[in-house]
Each structure stands twice: as C-alpha cells, then as structure tokens.
Amino acid sequence: MPLIQPIHLPESFMNARSQRYQLSIYRGDLEHCCAPGNKWHKLKYHLQEASRQNADYIATFGGPFSNHLHAIANVLHTSGQKLLAIVRGELFMELTPTLVDMVSWGAELWPSSRQDYRLGLDSEVVKVIHSLYDNVYWIPEGGGGVIGSMGTREWANNIARETQTFDAWAISAGTGVTASGFLAAGSTPFLHIFSALKGAKEQQREIEERALLLQQQYGDHHKSLTDRFCFYTDAHEGGYAKQSQELTQFLFEFSVANPGVILDPVYTAKSLFAISKKMMTGLWPHQKTLFIHTGGIQGWRGYPDSVNPYLPLCSRK
Ligand SMILES: *Cc1c(COP(=O)(O)O)cnc(C)c1O
C-alpha cells in the first residue's frame, strides 16, 4: 500500500470552496509493526543512547492508555532491556488493555498518584526505583526532549524524499516533540501544528526553541522559524482525550468517505476535523496539503463503543 494517499472530505464539508483544496495523508500509522506513527522515531535515538550507556533498564512515564508506553513496551519486548513504566494514577484491579499488553510484554508497572507523577524525575516513585535498580536510562514523558526530536527530524526528511511537492504539511502535537523535529528539518514545507491540549499557548515557543536548538546541533542556520509554521490551540474539542459530539459526528462521516484510513481519537481525528472545517470555509491557506498520520490507533480502547466508528476493528477487547 502506498504510504501517501488522497483524503476525501466528508460530504457535509464539501462545497465550492473546499473543492479547491487537495488533501493527502502520509500513513505513518502503517510504518512500524510495534511502534507505529511518531513513536518509533521519537524512541530511536533514546534507545541508541541507552545501549551506548549499557543501561539494563529503561524507565519512562505515561497514562494508562498511553501510546508512548504501549509502543516502547512492545519494542523492548524483544530486546534485552527491561521497561519500568511509571503509570499516571492508581492502578486498579482491572488493568486497561494498554497495560495488559505491556505486562504481557514483560514491562514492570509503577503506579504513581497524579500529584507525585507531576514531579517527573523529582517524584517519590523515581526515588524508589533508584533505590532498587542501577543502570536506569530515563526517557521523559512522551519520549521527549531534543533526543526525541532528532528522530522526528530525520523522519520528516525521509518523508520529504518520498513525496512530490506539497505547499504545506500538517501534524498533531501533544508534547510538541514531534513537531519540533519536523520544523527543524530543512525539507519540511510550511508546517501547520494542531495541539491536542487545552490552553497550550506557551507550547508554540517551546516547539520553536527546541527546533532552533536542533538546527544548531546539525549546523543549519536560521535566526527564526516563526514564519515557517502556524500553531493552533483551538482544535482540542473540549480538552485532552475529550470527545465532543461534533467530533464524533465528523469521525463517522470521515470513516465513510475514507474507508481505508483509521484515525486515532486523541490527536489525528481532532487535527483533521479542524483542517476540514477550515477548508469548508475557504480559510485554509494552502492548496496542496499533506497531513502526517502519527499513529495512536490503540488509544481507541479507552473510549466507549458508541463514539467509535471503527468497530469491531478497534475495540476495547
Ligand atoms: C503521541 C502522539 C502524538 C503527540 O506527539 P508529541 O511528540 O508528544 O507532540 C501525536 N499523535 C499521536 C497519534 C500520538 O500517539
């Protein structure tokens, strides 16, 4: 299957204005067996660094439905390193499907109250882990930092090599690590970044600063990247992992118009909803756009069947 495919706007978004646009999708979700979408790319250099340091354990953070935790547990399953996963919120008797998979792949789960979790590397749970284990390599929440963006910068350059020219690319953001790498890559055209978080205004600056740091590291010189991207904070549909009725409606229509393309509920669905609305009103500024699918399909298991258009393919079971 080609990794670049056309996207059809759902019928209720079709009009004379939206028909002018050409929207395509890069199927990052189909790229890697165990860590689809952006996750493998964010992990790549962290895992190299962990091997270089001869780490016996890799530790990282995430929520009970985290795509990041799921991906890293799957990747480490076949390597010699053990995963210590700090899981946000208490663990309940019945684990989420994400956590069940992780346990089956040999990961060790460390529950952490939301309050302690917020402290990151300064949390109590991290101290306990350090008292029990030596040789731990830590990956920040979401596979982050500049090391994470090194991999996504490379990903962007690889995608550019495979595509004909687009006027713009569009991508979803959680921590913004993936977007930083894309922005830093010399071959990325204008970049539209859609935040999945509510109130993420300050992230715009973080993304640009991380991208500039990365460019310095690779010897590319740009004074500013401000005119190379647009950051949207109004696409969250009520907040992180929340689902508005309009979004659900959009997803059901989108799945009919694009039967081969499964979007994830937390990130890509919201970005494509926002893009579709802007195209419908004629306010989207680029004619030929490539949307980057960042994966995350397993995240559907945190949602009730009633809002899920992809049953029985992606279900809670
Ligand atoms: C993790 C994830 C993101 C967010 O990536 P960041 O680098 O944290 O911005 C975006 N889309 C999907 C599908 C994800 O799973």
Side-chain angles (χ1 to χ4, degrees):
M1 200 188 293
L3 287 184
I4 295 174
Q5 300 168 2
I7 284 292
H8 308 285
L9 292 188
E11 201 156 322
S12 60
F13 291 77
M14 295 286 261
N15 59 29
R17 283 185 294 261
S18 66
Q19 255 154 14
R20 295 202 313 259
Y21 296 113
Q22 194 183 322
L23 181 59
S24 303
I25 191 166
Y26 179 80
R27 298 294 303 276
D29 57 316
L30 302 179
E31 257 189 11
H32 194 278
C33 64
C34 315
N38 57 356
K39 296 300 182 279
W40 166 248
H41 302 281
K42 292 209 283 184
L43 285 176
K44 181 177 172 187
Y45 287 101
H46 277 296
L47 296 181
Q48 268 184 21
E49 184 57 23
S51 295
R52 202 186 58 77
Q53 294 179 15
N54 284 321
D56 296 316
Y57 300 94
I58 293 188
T60 191
F61 306 81
F65 290 98
S66 162
N67 295 329
H68 164 63
L69 286 186
H70 196 259
I72 188 169
N74 200 351
V75 168
L76 291 186
H77 172 212
T78 48
S79 83
Q81 289 147 324
K82 189 176 180 76
L83 177 67
L84 310 173
I86 299 181
V87 183
R88 186 185 62 233
E90 297 69 29
L91 289 186
F92 294 97
M93 286 297 286
E94 196 176 341
L95 297 178
T96 64
T98 306
L99 297 176
V100 170
D101 284 350
M102 290 173 64
V103 169
S104 79
W105 293 324
E108 197 168 291
L109 307 183
W110 286 80
S112 164
S113 70
R114 284 170 179 267
Q115 207 177 358
D116 193 45
Y117 184 90
R118 247 177 260 129
L119 301 176
L121 288 174
D122 297 321
S123 61
E124 283 306 312
V125 65
V126 169
K127 286 189 193 121
V128 175
I129 288 176
H130 273 302
S131 71
L132 292 171
Y133 296 105
D134 290 323
N135 253 341
V136 181
Y137 180 87
W138 288 90
I139 298 179
E141 184 175 28
V146 171
I147 297 184
S149 323
M150 284 164 56
T152 63
R153 173 186 173 276
E154 189 175 283
W155 190 29
N157 283 329
N158 287 342
I159 293 172
R161 260 196 297 279
E162 289 170 34
T163 65
Q164 73 279 41
T165 3
F166 285 91
D167 304 324
W169 289 359
I171 197 163
S172 312
T175 62
V177 165
T178 304
S180 294
F182 272 69
L183 190 56
S187 40
T188 301
F190 190 90
L191 187 64
H192 295 274
I193 304 169
F194 292 88
S195 178
L197 313 179
K198 196 172 179 170
K201 203 95 201 101
E202 73 290 347
Q203 247 196 359
Q204 175 165 353
R205 195 177 39 80
E206 282 170 26
I207 290 172
E208 185 177 351
E209 280 173 2
R210 209 185 291 109
L212 285 169
L213 218 88
L214 214 60
Q215 289 203 328
Q216 269 172 14
Q217 187 177 318
Y218 286 95
D220 304 334
H221 292 294
H222 285 272
K223 285 179 283 310
S224 163
L225 292 166
T226 311
D227 59 352
R228 312 246 318 118
F229 75 111
C230 197
F231 184 72
Y232 302 87
T233 54
D234 56 355
H236 57 71
E237 292 302 307
Y240 184 74
K242 299 248 165 63
Q243 194 94 346
S244 69
Q245 230 168 6
E246 293 77 20
L247 178 67
T248 302
Q249 172 77 25
F250 166 77
L251 269 172
F252 275 89
E253 282 191 48
F254 183 92
S255 70
V256 172
N258 302 278
V261 181
I262 298 180
L263 302 178
D264 89 289
V266 182
Y267 299 97
T268 52
K270 293 180 179 182
S271 303
L272 275 170
F273 185 31
I275 293 169
S276 301
K277 283 189 282 192
K278 287 178 202 299
M279 289 187 167
M280 184 172 67
T281 50
L283 291 176
W284 187 253
H286 292 104
Q287 211 245 320
K288 274 186 79 182
T289 306
L290 180 69
F291 178 75
I292 311 295
H293 196 318
T294 38
I297 308 301
Q298 73 89 32
W300 274 112
R301 297 182 299 178
Y303 287 76
D305 287 354
S306 59
V307 301
N308 183 344
Y310 305 116
L311 296 171
L313 221 52
C314 312
S315 77
R316 282 167 170 263
K317 305 295 159 336

